[in-house]
mmCIF file of all heavy atoms in Angstrom:
data_model
loop_
_atom_site.group_PDB
_atom_site.id
_atom_site.type_symbol
_atom_site.label_atom_id
_atom_site.label_comp_id
_atom_site.label_asym_id
_atom_site.label_seq_id
_atom_site.Cartn_x
_atom_site.Cartn_y
_atom_site.Cartn_z
ATOM 1 N N LYS A 1087 4.735 53.141 -8.811
ATOM 2 C CA LYS A 1087 6.023 52.978 -8.131
ATOM 3 C C LYS A 1087 6.844 51.847 -8.728
ATOM 4 O O LYS A 1087 8.051 51.805 -8.585
ATOM 5 C CB LYS A 1087 5.764 52.642 -6.661
ATOM 6 C CG LYS A 1087 5.830 53.821 -5.735
ATOM 7 C CD LYS A 1087 5.781 53.289 -4.310
ATOM 8 C CE LYS A 1087 5.789 54.410 -3.305
ATOM 9 N NZ LYS A 1087 5.557 53.914 -1.953
ATOM 10 N N THR A 1174 18.395 34.849 2.672
ATOM 11 C CA THR A 1174 18.976 35.878 3.529
ATOM 12 C C THR A 1174 17.885 36.695 4.217
ATOM 13 O O THR A 1174 18.145 37.778 4.715
ATOM 14 C CB THR A 1174 19.881 36.826 2.733
ATOM 15 O OG1 THR A 1174 19.140 37.325 1.618
ATOM 16 C CG2 THR A 1174 21.113 36.122 2.235
ATOM 17 N N GLU A 1175 16.662 36.190 4.212
ATOM 18 C CA GLU A 1175 15.537 36.788 4.942
ATOM 19 C C GLU A 1175 15.119 38.148 4.413
ATOM 20 O O GLU A 1175 14.401 38.888 5.069
ATOM 21 C CB GLU A 1175 15.863 36.900 6.441
ATOM 22 C CG GLU A 1175 16.070 35.547 7.094
ATOM 23 C CD GLU A 1175 16.536 35.661 8.521
ATOM 24 O OE1 GLU A 1175 17.455 36.455 8.778
ATOM 25 O OE2 GLU A 1175 15.997 34.952 9.395
ATOM 26 N N GLN A 1176 15.589 38.496 3.191
ATOM 27 C CA GLN A 1176 15.193 39.803 2.660
ATOM 28 C C GLN A 1176 13.697 39.843 2.367
ATOM 29 O O GLN A 1176 13.049 40.868 2.550
ATOM 30 C CB GLN A 1176 15.978 40.123 1.382
ATOM 31 C CG GLN A 1176 17.452 40.354 1.655
ATOM 32 C CD GLN A 1176 18.221 40.707 0.403
ATOM 33 O OE1 GLN A 1176 17.800 41.520 -0.389
ATOM 34 N NE2 GLN A 1176 19.361 40.080 0.216
ATOM 35 N N SER A 1178 11.364 38.018 3.920
ATOM 36 C CA SER A 1178 10.693 38.086 5.216
ATOM 37 C C SER A 1178 10.736 39.494 5.762
ATOM 38 O O SER A 1178 9.765 39.995 6.325
ATOM 39 C CB SER A 1178 11.412 37.186 6.208
ATOM 40 O OG SER A 1178 10.812 35.953 6.268
ATOM 41 N N SER A 1179 11.890 40.138 5.607
ATOM 42 C CA SER A 1179 12.021 41.447 6.224
ATOM 43 C C SER A 1179 11.149 42.458 5.493
ATOM 44 O O SER A 1179 10.622 43.384 6.112
ATOM 45 C CB SER A 1179 13.486 41.866 6.288
ATOM 46 O OG SER A 1179 13.832 42.682 5.238
ATOM 47 N N LEU A 1180 10.960 42.273 4.177
ATOM 48 C CA LEU A 1180 10.010 43.137 3.468
ATOM 49 C C LEU A 1180 8.614 42.969 4.038
ATOM 50 O O LEU A 1180 7.901 43.943 4.265
ATOM 51 C CB LEU A 1180 9.977 42.771 1.980
ATOM 52 C CG LEU A 1180 10.995 43.451 1.102
ATOM 53 C CD1 LEU A 1180 10.924 42.884 -0.291
ATOM 54 C CD2 LEU A 1180 10.733 44.948 1.073
ATOM 55 N N GLU A 1181 8.256 41.695 4.269
ATOM 56 C CA GLU A 1181 6.922 41.451 4.808
ATOM 57 C C GLU A 1181 6.747 42.104 6.167
ATOM 58 O O GLU A 1181 5.703 42.684 6.458
ATOM 59 C CB GLU A 1181 6.669 39.941 4.927
ATOM 60 C CG GLU A 1181 5.928 39.411 3.730
ATOM 61 C CD GLU A 1181 5.448 37.996 3.963
ATOM 62 O OE1 GLU A 1181 4.994 37.694 5.078
ATOM 63 O OE2 GLU A 1181 5.524 37.207 3.014
ATOM 64 N N MET A 1183 8.170 44.677 7.081
ATOM 65 C CA MET A 1183 8.079 46.129 6.885
ATOM 66 C C MET A 1183 6.731 46.504 6.306
ATOM 67 O O MET A 1183 6.553 47.634 5.850
ATOM 68 C CB MET A 1183 9.131 46.577 5.884
ATOM 69 C CG MET A 1183 10.448 46.881 6.477
ATOM 70 S SD MET A 1183 11.439 47.454 5.099
ATOM 71 C CE MET A 1183 12.957 46.768 5.560
ATOM 72 N N ALA A 1184 5.825 45.535 6.248
ATOM 73 C CA ALA A 1184 4.502 45.773 5.667
ATOM 74 C C ALA A 1184 4.595 46.109 4.190
ATOM 75 O O ALA A 1184 3.841 46.903 3.660
ATOM 76 C CB ALA A 1184 3.749 46.859 6.422
ATOM 77 N N ASP A 1186 4.632 44.178 0.512
ATOM 78 C CA ASP A 1186 4.354 42.876 -0.067
ATOM 79 C C ASP A 1186 5.464 42.505 -1.047
ATOM 80 O O ASP A 1186 5.624 43.166 -2.065
ATOM 81 C CB ASP A 1186 3.006 42.932 -0.794
ATOM 82 C CG ASP A 1186 2.573 41.566 -1.265
ATOM 83 O OD1 ASP A 1186 3.385 40.639 -1.168
ATOM 84 O OD2 ASP A 1186 1.428 41.438 -1.726
ATOM 85 N N ARG A 1190 6.792 44.132 -4.768
ATOM 86 C CA ARG A 1190 8.024 44.894 -4.933
ATOM 87 C C ARG A 1190 9.146 44.082 -5.573
ATOM 88 O O ARG A 1190 10.000 44.634 -6.235
ATOM 89 C CB ARG A 1190 8.498 45.429 -3.587
ATOM 90 C CG ARG A 1190 7.739 46.625 -3.132
ATOM 91 C CD ARG A 1190 8.070 47.841 -3.978
ATOM 92 N NE ARG A 1190 7.247 48.943 -3.560
ATOM 93 C CZ ARG A 1190 5.996 49.125 -3.953
ATOM 94 N NH1 ARG A 1190 5.455 48.286 -4.815
ATOM 95 N NH2 ARG A 1190 5.294 50.124 -3.501
ATOM 96 N N GLN B 737 3.440 36.353 10.173
ATOM 97 C CA GLN B 737 3.903 35.649 8.980
ATOM 98 C C GLN B 737 3.518 34.175 9.031
ATOM 99 O O GLN B 737 3.469 33.518 8.005
ATOM 100 C CB GLN B 737 5.417 35.782 8.840
ATOM 101 C CG GLN B 737 5.821 37.168 8.406
ATOM 102 C CD GLN B 737 7.287 37.252 8.109
ATOM 103 O OE1 GLN B 737 8.139 36.921 8.913
ATOM 104 N NE2 GLN B 737 7.610 37.708 6.911
ATOM 105 N N ARG B 757 -5.559 40.859 5.706
ATOM 106 C CA ARG B 757 -4.224 41.161 5.208
ATOM 107 C C ARG B 757 -3.933 42.667 5.281
ATOM 108 O O ARG B 757 -2.851 43.082 5.686
ATOM 109 C CB ARG B 757 -4.156 40.680 3.763
ATOM 110 C CG ARG B 757 -2.777 40.628 3.213
ATOM 111 C CD ARG B 757 -2.818 40.019 1.812
ATOM 112 N NE ARG B 757 -1.577 40.269 1.118
ATOM 113 C CZ ARG B 757 -0.465 39.626 1.374
ATOM 114 N NH1 ARG B 757 -0.437 38.692 2.297
ATOM 115 N NH2 ARG B 757 0.635 39.913 0.709
ATOM 116 N N PHE B 761 -1.076 44.487 7.532
ATOM 117 C CA PHE B 761 -0.022 45.335 6.975
ATOM 118 C C PHE B 761 0.019 46.686 7.686
ATOM 119 O O PHE B 761 1.082 47.261 7.859
ATOM 120 C CB PHE B 761 -0.230 45.510 5.458
ATOM 121 C CG PHE B 761 0.491 44.477 4.653
ATOM 122 C CD1 PHE B 761 0.400 43.139 4.981
ATOM 123 C CD2 PHE B 761 1.288 44.837 3.578
ATOM 124 C CE1 PHE B 761 1.070 42.176 4.256
ATOM 125 C CE2 PHE B 761 1.972 43.877 2.852
ATOM 126 C CZ PHE B 761 1.855 42.542 3.189
ATOM 127 N N ARG B 764 1.635 46.047 11.052
ATOM 128 C CA ARG B 764 3.069 45.768 10.937
ATOM 129 C C ARG B 764 3.911 47.039 10.855
ATOM 130 O O ARG B 764 5.106 47.015 11.107
ATOM 131 C CB ARG B 764 3.342 44.925 9.692
ATOM 132 C CG ARG B 764 3.163 43.457 9.950
ATOM 133 C CD ARG B 764 3.633 42.695 8.758
ATOM 134 N NE ARG B 764 3.231 41.299 8.838
ATOM 135 C CZ ARG B 764 3.148 40.510 7.780
ATOM 136 N NH1 ARG B 764 3.412 41.009 6.582
ATOM 137 N NH2 ARG B 764 2.795 39.267 7.916
ATOM 138 N N PHE B 771 16.450 40.993 11.727
ATOM 139 C CA PHE B 771 16.709 39.587 11.416
ATOM 140 C C PHE B 771 18.131 39.210 11.767
ATOM 141 O O PHE B 771 19.023 40.050 11.833
ATOM 142 C CB PHE B 771 16.457 39.334 9.931
ATOM 143 C CG PHE B 771 15.006 39.282 9.597
ATOM 144 C CD1 PHE B 771 14.307 40.450 9.345
ATOM 145 C CD2 PHE B 771 14.333 38.086 9.548
ATOM 146 C CE1 PHE B 771 12.965 40.409 9.053
ATOM 147 C CE2 PHE B 771 12.983 38.036 9.264
ATOM 148 C CZ PHE B 771 12.305 39.203 9.002
ATOM 149 N N SER B 773 20.358 37.685 10.089
ATOM 150 C CA SER B 773 21.365 37.993 9.074
ATOM 151 C C SER B 773 21.402 39.482 8.758
ATOM 152 O O SER B 773 22.204 39.925 7.952
ATOM 153 C CB SER B 773 21.043 37.224 7.802
ATOM 154 O OG SER B 773 19.746 37.568 7.370
ATOM 155 N N ALA B 775 19.474 40.992 6.899
ATOM 156 C CA ALA B 775 18.520 41.046 5.789
ATOM 157 C C ALA B 775 18.499 42.405 5.106
ATOM 158 O O ALA B 775 17.464 42.905 4.701
ATOM 159 C CB ALA B 775 17.118 40.659 6.246
ATOM 160 N N LEU B 776 19.678 43.025 4.993
ATOM 161 C CA LEU B 776 19.740 44.262 4.198
ATOM 162 C C LEU B 776 19.529 43.897 2.737
ATOM 163 O O LEU B 776 19.894 42.807 2.303
ATOM 164 C CB LEU B 776 21.102 44.928 4.372
ATOM 165 C CG LEU B 776 21.384 45.495 5.763
ATOM 166 C CD1 LEU B 776 22.839 45.897 5.861
ATOM 167 C CD2 LEU B 776 20.484 46.683 6.052
ATOM 168 N N PHE B 777 18.945 44.828 1.978
ATOM 169 C CA PHE B 777 18.759 44.558 0.552
ATOM 170 C C PHE B 777 20.105 44.733 -0.140
ATOM 171 O O PHE B 777 20.671 45.810 -0.159
ATOM 172 C CB PHE B 777 17.719 45.503 -0.050
ATOM 173 C CG PHE B 777 16.411 45.416 0.669
ATOM 174 C CD1 PHE B 777 15.797 46.545 1.150
ATOM 175 C CD2 PHE B 777 15.813 44.180 0.868
ATOM 176 C CE1 PHE B 777 14.590 46.459 1.826
ATOM 177 C CE2 PHE B 777 14.615 44.093 1.549
ATOM 178 C CZ PHE B 777 14.004 45.236 2.028
ATOM 179 N N ARG B 791 10.437 55.576 2.232
ATOM 180 C CA ARG B 791 9.923 55.823 0.882
ATOM 181 C C ARG B 791 8.687 54.995 0.598
ATOM 182 O O ARG B 791 7.810 55.417 -0.148
ATOM 183 C CB ARG B 791 11.002 55.501 -0.151
ATOM 184 C CG ARG B 791 12.123 56.530 -0.176
ATOM 185 C CD ARG B 791 13.188 56.160 -1.182
ATOM 186 N NE ARG B 791 14.238 57.167 -1.185
ATOM 187 C CZ ARG B 791 15.508 56.897 -1.412
ATOM 188 N NH1 ARG B 791 15.886 55.667 -1.658
ATOM 189 N NH2 ARG B 791 16.408 57.861 -1.402
ATOM 190 N N GLU B 792 8.631 53.800 1.205
ATOM 191 C CA GLU B 792 7.471 52.944 0.970
ATOM 192 C C GLU B 792 6.227 53.479 1.655
ATOM 193 O O GLU B 792 5.145 53.458 1.095
ATOM 194 C CB GLU B 792 7.735 51.526 1.498
ATOM 195 C CG GLU B 792 8.463 50.612 0.550
ATOM 196 C CD GLU B 792 7.680 50.342 -0.715
ATOM 197 O OE1 GLU B 792 6.443 50.318 -0.675
ATOM 198 O OE2 GLU B 792 8.326 50.157 -1.756
ATOM 199 N N HIS B 793 6.405 53.919 2.892
ATOM 200 C CA HIS B 793 5.213 54.155 3.701
ATOM 201 C C HIS B 793 4.905 55.619 3.948
ATOM 202 O O HIS B 793 3.880 55.945 4.528
ATOM 203 C CB HIS B 793 5.355 53.440 5.043
ATOM 204 C CG HIS B 793 5.297 51.954 4.904
ATOM 205 N ND1 HIS B 793 4.308 51.328 4.195
ATOM 206 C CD2 HIS B 793 6.110 50.973 5.357
ATOM 207 C CE1 HIS B 793 4.519 50.022 4.233
ATOM 208 N NE2 HIS B 793 5.613 49.789 4.915
ATOM 209 N N ARG B 837 17.635 50.581 10.091
ATOM 210 C CA ARG B 837 16.485 50.450 9.206
ATOM 211 C C ARG B 837 15.222 50.092 9.982
ATOM 212 O O ARG B 837 14.140 50.600 9.691
ATOM 213 C CB ARG B 837 16.758 49.386 8.137
ATOM 214 C CG ARG B 837 15.663 49.329 7.087
ATOM 215 C CD ARG B 837 15.957 48.298 6.032
ATOM 216 N NE ARG B 837 15.949 46.940 6.580
ATOM 217 C CZ ARG B 837 16.200 45.857 5.857
ATOM 218 N NH1 ARG B 837 16.496 45.977 4.578
ATOM 219 N NH2 ARG B 837 16.173 44.673 6.402
#
Side-chain angles (χ1 to χ4, degrees):
Chain A
K1087 263 189 182 172
T1174 53
E1175 297 174 314
Q1176 292 182 45
S1178 265
S1179 97
L1180 273 174
E1181 264 191 40
M1183 273 183 216
D1186 187 351
R1190 282 289 176 278
Chain B
Q737 287 187 305
R757 193 175 165 75
F761 269 48
R764 275 188 192 159
F771 285 85
S773 58
L776 292 170
F777 303 127
R791 288 179 180 147
E792 275 297 328
H793 291 311
R837 187 179 65 181

